[in-house]
């Protein structure tokens, strides 16, 4: 786990940054460590260390300074230097008597154990090496066993303290990453919700435009035929006025498209009956409507979905099978509602392509949003081939 957070050789130090942010506590550890090392060296009385021992202590202090300088850019190299800095004074714990060497070794070992770059086994290996060096130094100097054990215990204790601090920092980093992941997840959910809303609005606009503009086009074609081919001003103006009414109705539907999914809608049989009547008047279609089963209240989303599919199906029937009778059947079943729109297929009708494109796909998406299914295709019965669209929604 620690290795997964460790920083690379040439990058930000694992002990200095947390998620790209400088950690002030780590700088405090460096400053305090430098102060303690300096104070320990100053407290050494003249004559306590000989020339070789002073060289060892100076080398340890220089390694500490090198660690502080390298840790910013080269944390792995800095950790190696820090391990050397802790091992050197461990070799002096036997000959010196005031505990200065043990303090130096303990400070550097504490910082090493709390660093994020080395692995836990590497930290334990460094601690074991320091303990072994210290025990060997004490044995060579003839120190009593109790003093040797006390020095080893101090080194082990500071290592455990450093590991505890390290574990706390690991958990803090994991918590930060978890919070960041939750934030990103929430952002993706919001983005997905926005995309779903765009798709819903696209379906609404398609349904409204297909219905309103289709009916408007038929009325304008009739007006053109009466005015240009027959010179029938009265009937031409009638169709023009009807076109203006359709345009006004289309604008009203567009304004209410979004509110329709949030507001209460009329009972489904009433809404479909009004839709069928509109197609009879606007398109001159022969549409039969049959309602079966016990009517009951439906969720607004289900009613809107079925109503929009009925409108799209009637628009397709008017486009591909103009002049043929259309049968609309609304059935309330046990736990579901089924709508079927059926019309005969004319000779040469390209049934294989009917209902394709964004219309059929939009209907399927709309029905899927309320947990329903939609099927469309050519069928054969006693009255000949026909095209049928069926939608079934649990409700």
């Amino acid at each position: 786990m620690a290795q997964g957070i460790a920083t690379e050789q040439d990058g930000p130090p694992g002990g200095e940054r947390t998620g790209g942010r400088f950690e002030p506590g780590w700088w405090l550890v460096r400053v305090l460590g430098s102060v303690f090392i300096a104070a320990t060296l100053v407290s050494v009385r003249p004559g306590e260390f000989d020339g070789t021992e002073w060289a060892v202590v100076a080398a340890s202090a220089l390694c500490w300074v090198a660690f502080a300088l390298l840790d910013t850019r080269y944390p792995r190299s800095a950790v190696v230097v820090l391990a050397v800095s802790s091992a050197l004074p461990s070799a002096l714990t036997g000959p010196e008597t005031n505990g200065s060497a043990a303090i130096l070794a303990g400070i550097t070992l504490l910082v090493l154990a709390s660093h994020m770059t080395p692995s836990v086994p590497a930290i334990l290996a460094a601690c074991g090496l320091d303990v072994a060096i210290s025990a060997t130094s004490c044995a060579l100097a003839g120190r009593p066993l109790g003093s040797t054990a006390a020095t080893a215990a101090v080194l082990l204790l500071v290592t455990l303290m450093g590991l505890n601090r390290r574990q706390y920092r690991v958990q803090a980093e994991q918590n930060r990453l978890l919070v960041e992941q939750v934030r990103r997840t929430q952002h993706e959910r919001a983005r997905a919700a926005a995309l779903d809303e765009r798709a819903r609005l696209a379906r609404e606009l398609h349904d409204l435009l297909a219905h309103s503009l289709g009916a408007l086009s038929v009325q304008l074609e009739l007006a053109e035929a009466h005015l240009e081919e027959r010179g029938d001003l009265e009937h031409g103006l009638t169709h023009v006025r009807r076109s203006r009414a359709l345009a006004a109705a289309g604008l009203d539907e567009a304004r209410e498209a979004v509110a329709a999914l949030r507001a209460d809608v009329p009972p489904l049989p009433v809404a479909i009956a009004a839709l069928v009547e509109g197609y009879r008047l606007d398109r001159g279609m022969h549409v039969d409507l049959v309602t079966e089963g016990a009517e009951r209240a439906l969720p607004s989303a289900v009613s809107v979905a079925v109503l929009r599919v009925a409108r799209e199906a009637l628009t397709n029937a008017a486009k591909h099978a103009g002049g043929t009778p259309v049968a609309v059947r609304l059935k309330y079943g046990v736990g579901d509602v089924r709508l079927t729109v059926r019309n005969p297929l004319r000779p040469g009708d390209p049934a294989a392509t009917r209902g394709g494109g964004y219309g059929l796909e939009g209907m399927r998406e709309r029905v899927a949003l309320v947990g329903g299914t939609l099927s469309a295709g050519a069928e054969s019965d006693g009255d000949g081939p026909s095209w049928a669209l069926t939608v079934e929604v649990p409700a």
Side-chain angles (χ1 to χ4, degrees):
M1 177 174 60
Q3 290 176 340
I5 304 177
T7 312
E8 294 300 328
Q9 175 79 19
D10 299 323
E16 180 185 2
R17 290 178 181 264
T18 301
R21 297 176 287 106
F22 283 100
E23 185 180 333
W26 189 247
W27 288 99
L28 181 61
V29 168
R30 294 182 186 180
V31 173
L32 291 179
S34 301
V35 171
F36 284 137
I37 290 176
T40 301
L41 295 177
V42 171
S43 67
V44 176
R45 294 188 296 271
E48 263 191 304
F49 287 157
D50 58 19
T52 302
E53 292 169 346
W54 269 115
V56 173
V57 171
S60 177
L62 289 175
C63 286
W64 172 268
V65 173
F67 158 74
L69 295 176
L70 292 174
D71 195 29
T72 304
R73 295 286 301 276
Y74 307 100
R76 291 185 178 178
S77 300
V79 165
V80 173
V81 174
L82 184 61
V84 175
S85 179
S86 68
L88 290 175
S90 298
L92 301 180
T93 55
E96 68 89 23
T97 58
N98 66 350
S100 300
I103 294 174
L104 290 175
I107 292 173
T108 52
L109 194 56
L110 174 65
V111 175
L112 176 65
S114 59
H115 204 283
M116 300 288 286
T117 299
S119 64
V120 173
I123 294 173
L124 295 177
C127 175
L129 178 62
D130 289 357
V131 170
I133 293 175
S134 176
T136 302
S137 175
C138 290
L140 294 176
R143 298 285 295 274
L145 183 60
S147 176
T148 302
T151 303
V154 169
L155 296 180
L156 289 173
L157 179 61
V158 297
T159 300
L160 293 177
M161 291 173 58
L163 288 175
N164 182 68
R165 167 64 180 169
R166 171 196 173 94
Q167 183 62 26
Y168 170 79
R169 297 176 65 214
V170 168
Q171 292 177 351
E173 175 67 4
Q174 289 177 339
N175 291 337
R176 187 198 67 81
L177 294 176
L178 180 61
V179 170
E180 179 67 16
Q181 183 178 4
V182 170
R183 187 192 66 81
R184 291 180 180 178
T185 301
Q186 291 175 344
H187 174 73
E188 291 299 324
R189 287 179 178 176
R191 182 173 178 272
L195 293 177
D196 289 342
E197 182 68 7
R198 291 178 185 177
R200 185 186 66 84
L201 291 176
R203 288 192 298 269
E204 292 294 334
L205 290 175
H206 175 271
D207 292 348
L208 290 172
L209 291 175
H211 167 64
S212 301
L213 295 182
L216 183 60
S217 176
V218 170
Q219 293 298 322
L220 290 176
E221 287 178 1
L222 292 174
E224 181 182 12
H226 281 288
L227 292 174
E228 183 177 359
E229 298 176 7
R230 303 177 186 177
D232 189 345
L233 181 61
E234 179 180 357
H235 286 87
L237 290 177
T238 299
H239 289 295
V240 169
R241 296 188 186 99
R242 183 60 181 164
S243 299
R244 184 174 60 185
L246 287 173
L251 288 176
D252 292 337
E253 288 183 350
R255 294 188 186 100
E256 298 174 358
V258 176
L261 292 179
R262 297 182 174 91
D264 290 336
V265 296
L268 187 57
V270 176
I272 291 184
L275 178 67
V276 168
E277 184 63 24
Y279 272 83
R280 289 170 180 164
L281 294 175
D282 300 337
R283 307 291 186 96
M285 296 173 59
H286 179 73
V287 185
D288 293 326
L289 173 62
V290 177
T291 301
E292 300 178 355
E295 179 184 340
R296 59 179 179 274
L298 300 175
S300 179
V302 172
S303 297
V304 170
V306 175
L307 182 62
R308 297 301 188 193
V309 170
R311 171 175 291 170
E312 182 75 15
L314 289 173
T315 299
N316 287 340
K319 182 187 302 183
H320 296 282
T324 62
V326 180
V328 179
R329 181 187 181 192
L330 178 64
K331 181 179 180 180
Y332 285 85
V334 179
D336 64 2
V337 174
R338 176 177 297 183
L339 174 75
T340 302
V341 180
R342 186 190 308 271
N343 63 271
L345 284 176
R346 298 178 301 181
D349 188 6
T353 61
R354 179 180 298 188
Y358 294 107
L360 186 57
E361 186 65 25
M363 285 189 284
R364 284 202 176 98
E365 291 177 0
R366 182 186 303 282
V367 172
L369 289 176
V370 293
T373 58
L374 181 145
S375 61
E379 298 180 354
S380 296
D381 51 25
D383 297 329
S386 62
W387 178 268
L389 183 147
T390 301
V391 57
E392 185 174 348
V393 181

